[in-house]
Amino acid sequence: ANATINVAFAMSMPGMAPGQAAAKHVKDGVYEAKINLAMAGAWEITVSVQQPGQKPVQEKFTVNAQ
């Protein structure tokens, strides 16, 4: 419940500005962030997790919005 989680999202198209959102703790280690993927296509999502006193952990994945 004490982790800091940030979600960054970007589309590799000219003129598309990247976005980011902070996730909020919902319950029992579950965090939620709402983001708006403004158009269809492949979006690169990067989730960063940091717990107090530890190095941040980062994971990247691609989401296909329709």
Side-chain angles (χ1 to χ4, degrees):
N2 59 352
T4 300
I5 299 179
N6 291 302
V7 179
F9 52 100
M11 183 177 243
S12 61
M13 275 184 84
M16 292 296 292
Q20 78 179 53
K24 294 183 182 177
H25 183 252
V26 179
K27 64 175 181 169
D28 300 328
V30 175
Y31 290 78
E32 183 177 275
K34 295 188 183 210
I35 60 175
N36 181 18
L37 303 179
M39 65 186 299
W43 288 81
E44 184 175 282
I45 311 293
T46 303
V47 179
S48 300
V49 179
Q50 182 163 17
Q51 294 194 2
Q54 296 185 12
K55 291 182 180 181
V57 176
Q58 195 174 69
E59 190 67 39
K60 292 183 182 184
F61 56 95
T62 301
V63 170
N64 242 340
Q66 306 231 351

